Amino acid sequence: MQEGGCLCGAVRYRVEGEPLSSGICHCESCRRAASAPSLPFAVFPADRFAITQGRPAEFHSSPRVTRSFCGLCGSPLTYDNADEPGTIDVMTCSLDNPDAFPPTHHVWVSERIGWDACADGLPTHATSRQADGET
């Protein structure tokens, strides 16, 4: 089990087990949500995730996507895509131990900022892993 939460401590959560995948997203939506060049995430079965303290705010960043974040400090916490039922993406850097689930790939590099080089040797995907035939 891993725990995490926002910068100010108002929202806390836990996840159980290993993630289904762990990556770094470079899409414009994630960049804007994080105010950063990319956003690392780990995908878990939704039933393995639970809020343990507080209540995150939500924002629908696109018609089928809901992002949660702390309404006080703004820390991004989760990404829920209705097209991928039963899973939830947890923002890796909101974990108390962000080293627990290192990324294994990059997604949406087609929207990557030019000066943000993917120089770690991990596989890259122009859009999603699913679009490239991976799960």
Side-chain angles (χ1 to χ4, degrees), residues 12-133:
R12 298 287 300 161
Y13 66 83
R14 73 169 181 265
V15 291
E16 296 179 7
E18 292 296 311
L20 302 171
S21 69
S22 182
I24 300 172
C25 186
H26 298 267
C27 79
E28 180 180 1
S29 181
C30 281
R31 290 195 329 262
R32 290 182 178 272
S35 292
S38 60
L39 186 57
F41 65 95
V43 182
F44 290 89
D47 62 357
R48 302 285 176 110
F49 173 85
I51 298 292
T52 58
Q53 176 182 304
R55 183 177 179 145
E58 294 183 341
F59 174 70
H60 298 284
S61 59
S62 60
R64 311 230 351 120
V65 172
T66 303
R67 295 176 183 271
S68 78
F69 59 96
C70 176
L72 295 175
C73 68
S75 297
L77 300 170
T78 66
Y79 171 99
D80 185 17
N81 186 334
D83 292 331
E84 298 172 16
T87 65
I88 189 161
D89 295 13
V90 173
M91 303 306 101
T92 307
C93 290
S94 70
L95 288 163
D96 294 345
N97 178 12
D99 286 324
F101 308 117
T104 61
H105 62 277
H106 293 266
V107 294
W108 287 97
V109 296
S110 60
E111 295 185 7
R112 177 178 59 85
I113 294 175
W115 50 260
D116 180 27
C118 297
D120 54 16
L122 296 176
T124 60
H125 304 276
T127 58
S128 68
R129 287 177 29 171
Q130 292 84 2
D132 285 349

